[in-house]
Amino acid sequence: MRLLIIGAPGAGKGTQATAIAEHYGIPAVSTGDIFRANINNGTELGRKVESIMDAGELVPDEVTDAIVVDRLGADDAADGFLLDGYPRNLSQVTALDTYLSSEGLALDAVVSLEVDPELLTARLLKRAEIEGRADDNEETIRNRMAVYTSQTAPLIDHYRQVGLLVPVDGVGEIAEVRDRIFAALDARA
């Protein structure tokens, strides 16, 4: 399966992506994880994106597109993948579609985790407290929500129009949300 998971920051994409990837035997590809690993390892890419991420901004499309194409070319993604955090805007959708088309591939579904924005802000503040993440303070969180709404939310309309959107209620216990996702994806198969 070739899947995307979309949702505002804090909607549970990372948590659910891991479960979905394990369930379907595909790698979860998280651009956020790739960026954080580069930051932690002090790579050139890490230095380049650290100040951008700390301000709650998004990494430029060209950089993100290249990283994703490189990752999807890895052997473990040959039979499928789950993208988490990409694409974030319509330009990245075009880049992904162009790459997949060039490889004779297409997406199977796009899971959209739906959660109230105020609940998400509270979740992210709690996560920041627990994990000590510098990129999760209230000002940065609200900025990320605004950026998500302006740039990423249009993807939901796009994927709905092309018949790939699978909306899932993202509120509840992790297992409940996971089971809703599996049921929705299995119903499409």
Side-chain angles (χ1 to χ4, degrees), residues 132-186:
R133 289 176 58 160
D135 61 340
D136 281 347
N137 61 62
E138 188 163 358
E139 181 182 341
T140 302
I141 289 167
R142 293 206 182 275
N143 186 48
R144 287 168 59 201
M145 292 295 183
V147 169
Y148 170 79
T149 299
S150 68
Q151 294 186 8
T152 308
L155 274 60
I156 293 169
D157 292 333
H158 169 75
Y159 286 121
R160 182 178 292 116
Q161 289 173 6
V162 298
L164 291 174
L165 192 71
V166 178
V168 176
D169 179 1
V171 178
E173 296 297 318
I174 292 170
E176 288 177 272
V177 176
R178 181 194 63 225
D179 290 345
R180 283 185 216 129
I181 292 168
F182 293 161
L185 288 173
D186 292 345

mmCIF file of all heavy atoms in Angstrom, residues 132-186:
data_model
loop_
_atom_site.group_PDB
_atom_site.id
_atom_site.type_symbol
_atom_site.label_atom_id
_atom_site.label_comp_id
_atom_site.label_asym_id
_atom_site.label_seq_id
_atom_site.Cartn_x
_atom_site.Cartn_y
_atom_site.Cartn_z
ATOM 1 N N GLY A 132 10.060 17.515 26.448
ATOM 2 C CA GLY A 132 11.031 18.602 26.440
ATOM 3 C C GLY A 132 11.396 19.075 25.049
ATOM 4 O O GLY A 132 12.539 19.431 24.770
ATOM 5 N N ARG A 133 10.427 19.085 24.131
ATOM 6 C CA ARG A 133 10.691 19.488 22.754
ATOM 7 C C ARG A 133 10.700 21.010 22.630
ATOM 8 O O ARG A 133 9.709 21.671 22.898
ATOM 9 C CB ARG A 133 9.645 18.883 21.820
ATOM 10 C CG ARG A 133 9.835 17.384 21.658
ATOM 11 C CD ARG A 133 8.779 16.744 20.830
ATOM 12 N NE ARG A 133 8.697 17.319 19.496
ATOM 13 C CZ ARG A 133 8.143 16.704 18.469
ATOM 14 N NH1 ARG A 133 7.624 15.512 18.632
ATOM 15 N NH2 ARG A 133 8.078 17.275 17.306
ATOM 16 N N ALA A 134 11.836 21.542 22.192
ATOM 17 C CA ALA A 134 12.002 22.999 22.070
ATOM 18 C C ALA A 134 11.072 23.597 21.025
ATOM 19 O O ALA A 134 10.734 24.767 21.095
ATOM 20 C CB ALA A 134 13.449 23.327 21.722
ATOM 21 N N ASP A 135 10.650 22.784 20.042
ATOM 22 C CA ASP A 135 9.795 23.326 18.990
ATOM 23 C C ASP A 135 8.312 23.325 19.386
ATOM 24 O O ASP A 135 7.458 23.626 18.573
ATOM 25 C CB ASP A 135 10.006 22.585 17.660
ATOM 26 C CG ASP A 135 9.669 21.093 17.712
ATOM 27 O OD1 ASP A 135 9.628 20.519 18.822
ATOM 28 O OD2 ASP A 135 9.469 20.500 16.640
ATOM 29 N N ASP A 136 7.998 23.021 20.644
ATOM 30 C CA ASP A 136 6.612 22.989 21.107
ATOM 31 C C ASP A 136 6.371 23.960 22.263
ATOM 32 O O ASP A 136 6.173 23.562 23.398
ATOM 33 C CB ASP A 136 6.212 21.568 21.549
ATOM 34 C CG ASP A 136 5.882 20.662 20.378
ATOM 35 O OD1 ASP A 136 5.720 21.165 19.258
ATOM 36 O OD2 ASP A 136 5.766 19.443 20.585
ATOM 37 N N ASN A 137 6.384 25.273 21.982
ATOM 38 C CA ASN A 137 5.919 26.245 22.967
ATOM 39 C C ASN A 137 4.630 26.844 22.402
ATOM 40 O O ASN A 137 4.320 26.664 21.221
ATOM 41 C CB ASN A 137 6.977 27.318 23.260
ATOM 42 C CG ASN A 137 7.345 28.111 22.027
ATOM 43 O OD1 ASN A 137 6.516 28.783 21.433
ATOM 44 N ND2 ASN A 137 8.609 28.015 21.627
ATOM 45 N N GLU A 138 3.855 27.542 23.225
ATOM 46 C CA GLU A 138 2.522 27.954 22.778
ATOM 47 C C GLU A 138 2.550 28.838 21.533
ATOM 48 O O GLU A 138 1.762 28.640 20.611
ATOM 49 C CB GLU A 138 1.749 28.653 23.902
ATOM 50 C CG GLU A 138 0.310 28.903 23.501
ATOM 51 C CD GLU A 138 -0.612 29.204 24.667
ATOM 52 O OE1 GLU A 138 -0.168 29.193 25.820
ATOM 53 O OE2 GLU A 138 -1.798 29.444 24.393
ATOM 54 N N GLU A 139 3.456 29.785 21.475
ATOM 55 C CA GLU A 139 3.526 30.673 20.303
ATOM 56 C C GLU A 139 3.852 29.883 19.032
ATOM 57 O O GLU A 139 3.235 30.069 17.992
ATOM 58 C CB GLU A 139 4.589 31.753 20.534
ATOM 59 C CG GLU A 139 4.721 32.732 19.380
ATOM 60 C CD GLU A 139 5.810 33.769 19.617
ATOM 61 O OE1 GLU A 139 6.226 33.977 20.776
ATOM 62 O OE2 GLU A 139 6.239 34.371 18.622
ATOM 63 N N THR A 140 4.840 28.991 19.141
ATOM 64 C CA THR A 140 5.227 28.171 17.992
ATOM 65 C C THR A 140 4.091 27.242 17.582
ATOM 66 O O THR A 140 3.827 27.069 16.387
ATOM 67 C CB THR A 140 6.503 27.359 18.319
ATOM 68 O OG1 THR A 140 7.531 28.263 18.673
ATOM 69 C CG2 THR A 140 6.938 26.508 17.155
ATOM 70 N N ILE A 141 3.404 26.663 18.552
ATOM 71 C CA ILE A 141 2.283 25.760 18.252
ATOM 72 C C ILE A 141 1.194 26.510 17.491
ATOM 73 O O ILE A 141 0.687 26.030 16.470
ATOM 74 C CB ILE A 141 1.722 25.143 19.550
ATOM 75 C CG1 ILE A 141 2.721 24.140 20.115
ATOM 76 C CG2 ILE A 141 0.366 24.490 19.298
ATOM 77 C CD1 ILE A 141 2.424 23.710 21.540
ATOM 78 N N ARG A 142 0.824 27.685 17.968
ATOM 79 C CA ARG A 142 -0.228 28.454 17.290
ATOM 80 C C ARG A 142 0.213 28.851 15.877
ATOM 81 O O ARG A 142 -0.590 28.833 14.947
ATOM 82 C CB ARG A 142 -0.624 29.660 18.120
ATOM 83 C CG ARG A 142 -1.310 29.224 19.415
ATOM 84 C CD ARG A 142 -2.246 30.254 19.983
ATOM 85 N NE ARG A 142 -2.829 29.786 21.231
ATOM 86 C CZ ARG A 142 -3.909 29.011 21.311
ATOM 87 N NH1 ARG A 142 -4.530 28.618 20.227
ATOM 88 N NH2 ARG A 142 -4.362 28.625 22.485
ATOM 89 N N ASN A 143 1.496 29.163 15.708
ATOM 90 C CA ASN A 143 2.010 29.477 14.378
ATOM 91 C C ASN A 143 1.923 28.246 13.472
ATOM 92 O O ASN A 143 1.519 28.342 12.316
ATOM 93 C CB ASN A 143 3.448 29.991 14.455
ATOM 94 C CG ASN A 143 3.948 30.448 13.104
ATOM 95 O OD1 ASN A 143 3.262 31.188 12.393
ATOM 96 N ND2 ASN A 143 5.135 30.007 12.730
ATOM 97 N N ARG A 144 2.307 27.086 14.001
ATOM 98 C CA ARG A 144 2.230 25.855 13.208
ATOM 99 C C ARG A 144 0.803 25.539 12.801
ATOM 100 O O ARG A 144 0.557 25.073 11.681
ATOM 101 C CB ARG A 144 2.833 24.678 13.991
ATOM 102 C CG ARG A 144 4.356 24.764 14.070
ATOM 103 C CD ARG A 144 4.967 23.815 15.061
ATOM 104 N NE ARG A 144 4.663 22.435 14.788
ATOM 105 C CZ ARG A 144 4.733 21.474 15.702
ATOM 106 N NH1 ARG A 144 5.107 21.744 16.933
ATOM 107 N NH2 ARG A 144 4.444 20.238 15.387
ATOM 108 N N MET A 145 -0.157 25.805 13.693
ATOM 109 C CA MET A 145 -1.575 25.588 13.359
ATOM 110 C C MET A 145 -2.001 26.522 12.227
ATOM 111 O O MET A 145 -2.704 26.104 11.300
ATOM 112 C CB MET A 145 -2.465 25.821 14.581
ATOM 113 C CG MET A 145 -2.297 24.807 15.668
ATOM 114 S SD MET A 145 -2.821 23.165 15.155
ATOM 115 C CE MET A 145 -2.558 22.297 16.683
ATOM 116 N N ALA A 146 -1.571 27.782 12.292
ATOM 117 C CA ALA A 146 -1.919 28.752 11.247
ATOM 118 C C ALA A 146 -1.296 28.351 9.912
ATOM 119 O O ALA A 146 -1.941 28.410 8.857
ATOM 120 C CB ALA A 146 -1.478 30.150 11.645
ATOM 121 N N VAL A 147 -0.021 27.913 9.954
ATOM 122 C CA VAL A 147 0.651 27.469 8.736
ATOM 123 C C VAL A 147 -0.058 26.238 8.177
ATOM 124 O O VAL A 147 -0.315 26.143 6.970
ATOM 125 C CB VAL A 147 2.153 27.169 9.012
ATOM 126 C CG1 VAL A 147 2.800 26.452 7.837
ATOM 127 C CG2 VAL A 147 2.892 28.458 9.335
ATOM 128 N N TYR A 148 -0.425 25.304 9.042
ATOM 129 C CA TYR A 148 -1.138 24.104 8.604
ATOM 130 C C TYR A 148 -2.437 24.481 7.905
ATOM 131 O O TYR A 148 -2.731 24.015 6.800
ATOM 132 C CB TYR A 148 -1.440 23.176 9.788
ATOM 133 C CG TYR A 148 -2.378 22.048 9.399
ATOM 134 C CD1 TYR A 148 -1.896 20.938 8.723
ATOM 135 C CD2 TYR A 148 -3.742 22.119 9.655
ATOM 136 C CE1 TYR A 148 -2.747 19.922 8.322
ATOM 137 C CE2 TYR A 148 -4.593 21.109 9.267
ATOM 138 C CZ TYR A 148 -4.093 20.016 8.591
ATOM 139 O OH TYR A 148 -4.943 19.020 8.187
ATOM 140 N N THR A 149 -3.219 25.351 8.546
ATOM 141 C CA THR A 149 -4.512 25.735 7.989
ATOM 142 C C THR A 149 -4.356 26.383 6.622
ATOM 143 O O THR A 149 -5.083 26.045 5.686
ATOM 144 C CB THR A 149 -5.254 26.689 8.951
ATOM 145 O OG1 THR A 149 -5.459 25.987 10.178
ATOM 146 C CG2 THR A 149 -6.576 27.126 8.386
ATOM 147 N N SER A 150 -3.381 27.274 6.494
ATOM 148 C CA SER A 150 -3.233 27.996 5.233
ATOM 149 C C SER A 150 -2.610 27.145 4.124
ATOM 150 O O SER A 150 -2.984 27.282 2.971
ATOM 151 C CB SER A 150 -2.422 29.275 5.432
ATOM 152 O OG SER A 150 -1.087 28.972 5.739
ATOM 153 N N GLN A 151 -1.674 26.263 4.461
ATOM 154 C CA GLN A 151 -0.943 25.543 3.422
ATOM 155 C C GLN A 151 -1.346 24.087 3.258
ATOM 156 O O GLN A 151 -1.356 23.572 2.144
ATOM 157 C CB GLN A 151 0.563 25.605 3.695
ATOM 158 C CG GLN A 151 1.114 27.005 3.568
ATOM 159 C CD GLN A 151 2.633 27.036 3.683
ATOM 160 O OE1 GLN A 151 3.285 25.994 3.721
ATOM 161 N NE2 GLN A 151 3.183 28.216 3.733
ATOM 162 N N THR A 152 -1.638 23.412 4.344
ATOM 163 C CA THR A 152 -1.860 21.971 4.262
ATOM 164 C C THR A 152 -3.331 21.591 4.137
ATOM 165 O O THR A 152 -3.664 20.634 3.441
ATOM 166 C CB THR A 152 -1.245 21.264 5.484
ATOM 167 O OG1 THR A 152 0.112 21.673 5.601
ATOM 168 C CG2 THR A 152 -1.277 19.749 5.319
ATOM 169 N N ALA A 153 -4.209 22.307 4.811
ATOM 170 C CA ALA A 153 -5.631 21.965 4.753
ATOM 171 C C ALA A 153 -6.180 21.861 3.321
ATOM 172 O O ALA A 153 -7.027 21.008 3.059
ATOM 173 C CB ALA A 153 -6.444 22.947 5.595
ATOM 174 N N PRO A 154 -5.702 22.674 2.357
ATOM 175 C CA PRO A 154 -6.196 22.504 0.985
ATOM 176 C C PRO A 154 -5.941 21.110 0.404
ATOM 177 O O PRO A 154 -6.625 20.697 -0.535
ATOM 178 C CB PRO A 154 -5.437 23.585 0.196
ATOM 179 C CG PRO A 154 -5.151 24.643 1.210
ATOM 180 C CD PRO A 154 -4.868 23.882 2.482
ATOM 181 N N LEU A 155 -4.968 20.397 0.945
ATOM 182 C CA LEU A 155 -4.718 19.036 0.480
ATOM 183 C C LEU A 155 -5.917 18.140 0.734
ATOM 184 O O LEU A 155 -6.208 17.238 -0.059
ATOM 185 C CB LEU A 155 -3.490 18.437 1.177
ATOM 186 C CG LEU A 155 -2.141 18.741 0.557
ATOM 187 C CD1 LEU A 155 -1.833 20.209 0.506
ATOM 188 C CD2 LEU A 155 -1.058 17.989 1.284
ATOM 189 N N ILE A 156 -6.591 18.378 1.847
ATOM 190 C CA ILE A 156 -7.772 17.582 2.177
ATOM 191 C C ILE A 156 -8.812 17.726 1.069
ATOM 192 O O ILE A 156 -9.361 16.729 0.592
ATOM 193 C CB ILE A 156 -8.331 17.982 3.557
ATOM 194 C CG1 ILE A 156 -7.315 17.588 4.638
ATOM 195 C CG2 ILE A 156 -9.695 17.352 3.807
ATOM 196 C CD1 ILE A 156 -7.608 18.144 6.009
ATOM 197 N N ASP A 157 -9.053 18.960 0.627
ATOM 198 C CA ASP A 157 -10.001 19.179 -0.471
ATOM 199 C C ASP A 157 -9.525 18.499 -1.745
ATOM 200 O O ASP A 157 -10.311 17.867 -2.447
ATOM 201 C CB ASP A 157 -10.192 20.676 -0.725
ATOM 202 C CG ASP A 157 -10.911 21.372 0.411
ATOM 203 O OD1 ASP A 157 -11.694 20.697 1.122
ATOM 204 O OD2 ASP A 157 -10.678 22.584 0.601
ATOM 205 N N HIS A 158 -8.240 18.620 -2.038
ATOM 206 C CA HIS A 158 -7.687 17.998 -3.249
ATOM 207 C C HIS A 158 -7.888 16.487 -3.233
ATOM 208 O O HIS A 158 -8.387 15.907 -4.205
ATOM 209 C CB HIS A 158 -6.198 18.333 -3.382
ATOM 210 C CG HIS A 158 -5.508 17.522 -4.438
ATOM 211 N ND1 HIS A 158 -5.663 17.772 -5.789
ATOM 212 C CD2 HIS A 158 -4.688 16.443 -4.346
ATOM 213 C CE1 HIS A 158 -4.962 16.884 -6.470
ATOM 214 N NE2 HIS A 158 -4.355 16.076 -5.625
ATOM 215 N N TYR A 159 -7.483 15.854 -2.122
ATOM 216 C CA TYR A 159 -7.579 14.394 -2.069
ATOM 217 C C TYR A 159 -9.030 13.915 -2.003
ATOM 218 O O TYR A 159 -9.338 12.820 -2.469
ATOM 219 C CB TYR A 159 -6.728 13.842 -0.923
ATOM 220 C CG TYR A 159 -5.246 13.901 -1.252
ATOM 221 C CD1 TYR A 159 -4.360 14.610 -0.454
ATOM 222 C CD2 TYR A 159 -4.735 13.248 -2.374
ATOM 223 C CE1 TYR A 159 -3.004 14.669 -0.751
ATOM 224 C CE2 TYR A 159 -3.386 13.301 -2.680
ATOM 225 C CZ TYR A 159 -2.528 14.012 -1.867
ATOM 226 O OH TYR A 159 -1.193 14.061 -2.187
ATOM 227 N N ARG A 160 -9.923 14.733 -1.460
ATOM 228 C CA ARG A 160 -11.346 14.396 -1.488
ATOM 229 C C ARG A 160 -11.836 14.401 -2.939
ATOM 230 O O ARG A 160 -12.525 13.481 -3.380
ATOM 231 C CB ARG A 160 -12.157 15.390 -0.648
ATOM 232 C CG ARG A 160 -13.653 15.059 -0.609
ATOM 233 C CD ARG A 160 -14.458 16.017 0.259
ATOM 234 N NE ARG A 160 -14.104 15.854 1.663
ATOM 235 C CZ ARG A 160 -13.523 16.793 2.412
ATOM 236 N NH1 ARG A 160 -13.230 17.976 1.921
ATOM 237 N NH2 ARG A 160 -13.236 16.549 3.681
ATOM 238 N N GLN A 161 -11.433 15.424 -3.695
ATOM 239 C CA GLN A 161 -11.858 15.557 -5.089
ATOM 240 C C GLN A 161 -11.360 14.413 -5.964
ATOM 241 O O GLN A 161 -12.057 13.994 -6.888
ATOM 242 C CB GLN A 161 -11.398 16.895 -5.669
ATOM 243 C CG GLN A 161 -12.138 18.085 -5.109
ATOM 244 C CD GLN A 161 -11.556 19.413 -5.573
ATOM 245 O OE1 GLN A 161 -10.645 19.455 -6.410
ATOM 246 N NE2 GLN A 161 -12.064 20.502 -5.020
ATOM 247 N N VAL A 162 -10.160 13.906 -5.685
ATOM 248 C CA VAL A 162 -9.623 12.809 -6.500
ATOM 249 C C VAL A 162 -9.994 11.434 -5.946
ATOM 250 O O VAL A 162 -9.551 10.413 -6.473
ATOM 251 C CB VAL A 162 -8.093 12.929 -6.725
ATOM 252 C CG1 VAL A 162 -7.763 14.204 -7.473
ATOM 253 C CG2 VAL A 162 -7.321 12.824 -5.425
ATOM 254 N N GLY A 163 -10.806 11.411 -4.885
ATOM 255 C CA GLY A 163 -11.334 10.155 -4.369
ATOM 256 C C GLY A 163 -10.397 9.343 -3.491
ATOM 257 O O GLY A 163 -10.623 8.145 -3.291
ATOM 258 N N LEU A 164 -9.363 9.955 -2.955
ATOM 259 C CA LEU A 164 -8.411 9.220 -2.125
ATOM 260 C C LEU A 164 -8.578 9.473 -0.629
ATOM 261 O O LEU A 164 -8.004 8.742 0.183
ATOM 262 C CB LEU A 164 -6.972 9.578 -2.519
ATOM 263 C CG LEU A 164 -6.502 9.085 -3.882
ATOM 264 C CD1 LEU A 164 -5.112 9.632 -4.191
ATOM 265 C CD2 LEU A 164 -6.494 7.563 -3.935
ATOM 266 N N LEU A 165 -9.342 10.492 -0.236
ATOM 267 C CA LEU A 165 -9.434 10.883 1.168
ATOM 268 C C LEU A 165 -10.216 9.877 1.997
ATOM 269 O O LEU A 165 -11.308 9.446 1.622
ATOM 270 C CB LEU A 165 -10.077 12.265 1.303
ATOM 271 C CG LEU A 165 -9.952 12.875 2.697
ATOM 272 C CD1 LEU A 165 -8.508 13.282 2.970
ATOM 273 C CD2 LEU A 165 -10.875 14.072 2.834
ATOM 274 N N VAL A 166 -9.635 9.522 3.147
ATOM 275 C CA VAL A 166 -10.268 8.638 4.123
ATOM 276 C C VAL A 166 -10.288 9.402 5.456
ATOM 277 O O VAL A 166 -9.325 9.349 6.225
ATOM 278 C CB VAL A 166 -9.495 7.307 4.270
ATOM 279 C CG1 VAL A 166 -10.138 6.415 5.317
ATOM 280 C CG2 VAL A 166 -9.381 6.593 2.933
ATOM 281 N N PRO A 167 -11.376 10.160 5.729
ATOM 282 C CA PRO A 167 -11.429 10.920 6.982
ATOM 283 C C PRO A 167 -11.658 9.993 8.176
ATOM 284 O O PRO A 167 -12.467 9.066 8.104
ATOM 285 C CB PRO A 167 -12.607 11.867 6.785
ATOM 286 C CG PRO A 167 -13.416 11.294 5.681
ATOM 287 C CD PRO A 167 -12.534 10.373 4.892
ATOM 288 N N VAL A 168 -10.914 10.247 9.263
ATOM 289 C CA VAL A 168 -11.024 9.428 10.467
ATOM 290 C C VAL A 168 -11.065 10.351 11.679
ATOM 291 O O VAL A 168 -10.234 11.259 11.792
ATOM 292 C CB VAL A 168 -9.828 8.449 10.589
ATOM 293 C CG1 VAL A 168 -9.882 7.667 11.894
ATOM 294 C CG2 VAL A 168 -9.776 7.501 9.401
ATOM 295 N N ASP A 169 -12.002 10.112 12.582
ATOM 296 C CA ASP A 169 -12.076 10.864 13.831
ATOM 297 C C ASP A 169 -10.825 10.540 14.639
ATOM 298 O O ASP A 169 -10.591 9.397 15.010
ATOM 299 C CB ASP A 169 -13.340 10.470 14.589
ATOM 300 C CG ASP A 169 -13.511 11.172 15.928
ATOM 301 O OD1 ASP A 169 -12.650 12.001 16.298
ATOM 302 O OD2 ASP A 169 -14.511 10.889 16.609
ATOM 303 N N GLY A 170 -10.005 11.576 14.924
ATOM 304 C CA GLY A 170 -8.752 11.371 15.630
ATOM 305 C C GLY A 170 -8.837 11.563 17.132
ATOM 306 O O GLY A 170 -7.812 11.603 17.806
ATOM 307 N N VAL A 171 -10.054 11.673 17.682
ATOM 308 C CA VAL A 171 -10.227 11.870 19.118
ATOM 309 C C VAL A 171 -10.542 10.530 19.770
ATOM 310 O O VAL A 171 -11.385 9.773 19.284
ATOM 311 C CB VAL A 171 -11.363 12.877 19.410
ATOM 312 C CG1 VAL A 171 -11.574 13.036 20.906
ATOM 313 C CG2 VAL A 171 -11.058 14.221 18.760
ATOM 314 N N GLY A 172 -9.851 10.247 20.865
ATOM 315 C CA GLY A 172 -10.087 9.005 21.601
ATOM 316 C C GLY A 172 -8.784 8.343 21.964
ATOM 317 O O GLY A 172 -7.696 8.884 21.741
ATOM 318 N N GLU A 173 -8.903 7.167 22.544
ATOM 319 C CA GLU A 173 -7.711 6.396 22.906
ATOM 320 C C GLU A 173 -6.962 5.998 21.633
ATOM 321 O O GLU A 173 -7.566 5.810 20.575
ATOM 322 C CB GLU A 173 -8.104 5.147 23.693
ATOM 323 C CG GLU A 173 -8.752 5.435 25.037
ATOM 324 C CD GLU A 173 -7.803 6.161 25.989
ATOM 325 O OE1 GLU A 173 -6.616 5.782 26.044
ATOM 326 O OE2 GLU A 173 -8.264 7.107 26.653
ATOM 327 N N ILE A 174 -5.655 5.846 21.751
ATOM 328 C CA ILE A 174 -4.817 5.506 20.604
ATOM 329 C C ILE A 174 -5.347 4.264 19.882
ATOM 330 O O ILE A 174 -5.442 4.253 18.657
ATOM 331 C CB ILE A 174 -3.346 5.310 21.046
ATOM 332 C CG1 ILE A 174 -2.761 6.652 21.490
ATOM 333 C CG2 ILE A 174 -2.513 4.686 19.934
ATOM 334 C CD1 ILE A 174 -1.400 6.548 22.165
ATOM 335 N N ALA A 175 -5.698 3.236 20.637
ATOM 336 C CA ALA A 175 -6.184 1.987 20.026
ATOM 337 C C ALA A 175 -7.508 2.191 19.296
ATOM 338 O O ALA A 175 -7.729 1.598 18.235
ATOM 339 C CB ALA A 175 -6.320 0.899 21.084
ATOM 340 N N GLU A 176 -8.385 3.026 19.853
ATOM 341 C CA GLU A 176 -9.666 3.311 19.197
ATOM 342 C C GLU A 176 -9.442 3.975 17.841
ATOM 343 O O GLU A 176 -10.067 3.588 16.845
ATOM 344 C CB GLU A 176 -10.514 4.274 20.032
ATOM 345 C CG GLU A 176 -11.115 3.733 21.299
ATOM 346 C CD GLU A 176 -11.846 4.854 22.026
ATOM 347 O OE1 GLU A 176 -11.209 5.576 22.825
ATOM 348 O OE2 GLU A 176 -13.057 5.013 21.771
ATOM 349 N N VAL A 177 -8.585 4.983 17.822
ATOM 350 C CA VAL A 177 -8.305 5.702 16.576
ATOM 351 C C VAL A 177 -7.652 4.755 15.578
ATOM 352 O O VAL A 177 -8.028 4.722 14.400
ATOM 353 C CB VAL A 177 -7.426 6.941 16.837
ATOM 354 C CG1 VAL A 177 -7.048 7.624 15.529
ATOM 355 C CG2 VAL A 177 -8.138 7.920 17.765
ATOM 356 N N ARG A 178 -6.697 3.950 16.046
ATOM 357 C CA ARG A 178 -6.024 2.977 15.181
ATOM 358 C C ARG A 178 -7.036 2.020 14.550
ATOM 359 O O ARG A 178 -7.007 1.769 13.345
ATOM 360 C CB ARG A 178 -4.983 2.193 15.995
ATOM 361 C CG ARG A 178 -4.215 1.170 15.160
ATOM 362 C CD ARG A 178 -3.454 0.192 16.030
ATOM 363 N NE ARG A 178 -4.398 -0.569 16.829
ATOM 364 C CZ ARG A 178 -4.278 -0.828 18.132
ATOM 365 N NH1 ARG A 178 -3.236 -0.399 18.797
ATOM 366 N NH2 ARG A 178 -5.185 -1.527 18.772
ATOM 367 N N ASP A 179 -7.966 1.508 15.359
ATOM 368 C CA ASP A 179 -8.961 0.573 14.832
ATOM 369 C C ASP A 179 -9.871 1.247 13.805
ATOM 370 O O ASP A 179 -10.266 0.623 12.812
ATOM 371 C CB ASP A 179 -9.792 -0.022 15.976
ATOM 372 C CG ASP A 179 -8.970 -0.973 16.851
ATOM 373 O OD1 ASP A 179 -7.864 -1.396 16.422
ATOM 374 O OD2 ASP A 179 -9.432 -1.287 17.973
ATOM 375 N N ARG A 180 -10.205 2.541 14.030
ATOM 376 C CA ARG A 180 -11.011 3.282 13.045
ATOM 377 C C ARG A 180 -10.253 3.403 11.720
ATOM 378 O O ARG A 180 -10.842 3.272 10.643
ATOM 379 C CB ARG A 180 -11.333 4.686 13.558
ATOM 380 C CG ARG A 180 -12.423 4.738 14.581
ATOM 381 C CD ARG A 180 -12.746 6.199 14.939
ATOM 382 N NE ARG A 180 -13.073 6.255 16.341
ATOM 383 C CZ ARG A 180 -12.563 7.068 17.242
ATOM 384 N NH1 ARG A 180 -11.679 7.989 16.885
ATOM 385 N NH2 ARG A 180 -12.927 7.014 18.482
ATOM 386 N N ILE A 181 -8.948 3.665 11.811
ATOM 387 C CA ILE A 181 -8.137 3.793 10.600
ATOM 388 C C ILE A 181 -8.112 2.478 9.838
ATOM 389 O O ILE A 181 -8.342 2.446 8.620
ATOM 390 C CB ILE A 181 -6.703 4.252 10.942
ATOM 391 C CG1 ILE A 181 -6.716 5.697 11.471
ATOM 392 C CG2 ILE A 181 -5.777 4.117 9.727
ATOM 393 C CD1 ILE A 181 -5.393 6.134 12.093
ATOM 394 N N PHE A 182 -7.816 1.374 10.531
ATOM 395 C CA PHE A 182 -7.755 0.067 9.866
ATOM 396 C C PHE A 182 -9.084 -0.278 9.217
ATOM 397 O O PHE A 182 -9.132 -0.762 8.085
ATOM 398 C CB PHE A 182 -7.353 -1.043 10.852
ATOM 399 C CG PHE A 182 -5.945 -0.932 11.366
ATOM 400 C CD1 PHE A 182 -5.592 -1.603 12.522
ATOM 401 C CD2 PHE A 182 -4.972 -0.180 10.719
ATOM 402 C CE1 PHE A 182 -4.296 -1.520 13.033
ATOM 403 C CE2 PHE A 182 -3.676 -0.103 11.211
ATOM 404 C CZ PHE A 182 -3.343 -0.775 12.368
ATOM 405 N N ALA A 183 -10.177 -0.040 9.930
ATOM 406 C CA ALA A 183 -11.507 -0.344 9.382
ATOM 407 C C ALA A 183 -11.771 0.477 8.122
ATOM 408 O O ALA A 183 -12.281 -0.043 7.127
ATOM 409 C CB ALA A 183 -12.592 -0.095 10.436
ATOM 410 N N ALA A 184 -11.423 1.767 8.166
ATOM 411 C CA ALA A 184 -11.661 2.637 7.007
ATOM 412 C C ALA A 184 -10.805 2.227 5.815
ATOM 413 O O ALA A 184 -11.292 2.178 4.672
ATOM 414 C CB ALA A 184 -11.393 4.088 7.391
ATOM 415 N N LEU A 185 -9.525 1.890 6.064
ATOM 416 C CA LEU A 185 -8.659 1.466 4.961
ATOM 417 C C LEU A 185 -9.070 0.099 4.417
ATOM 418 O O LEU A 185 -9.079 -0.109 3.200
ATOM 419 C CB LEU A 185 -7.196 1.440 5.418
ATOM 420 C CG LEU A 185 -6.540 2.799 5.629
ATOM 421 C CD1 LEU A 185 -5.158 2.640 6.247
ATOM 422 C CD2 LEU A 185 -6.473 3.584 4.324
ATOM 423 N N ASP A 186 -9.422 -0.817 5.305
ATOM 424 C CA ASP A 186 -9.854 -2.142 4.861
ATOM 425 C C ASP A 186 -11.145 -2.066 4.042
ATOM 426 O O ASP A 186 -11.333 -2.840 3.096
ATOM 427 C CB ASP A 186 -10.015 -3.101 6.042
ATOM 428 C CG ASP A 186 -8.677 -3.455 6.696
ATOM 429 O OD1 ASP A 186 -7.614 -3.198 6.078
ATOM 430 O OD2 ASP A 186 -8.700 -3.974 7.820
#
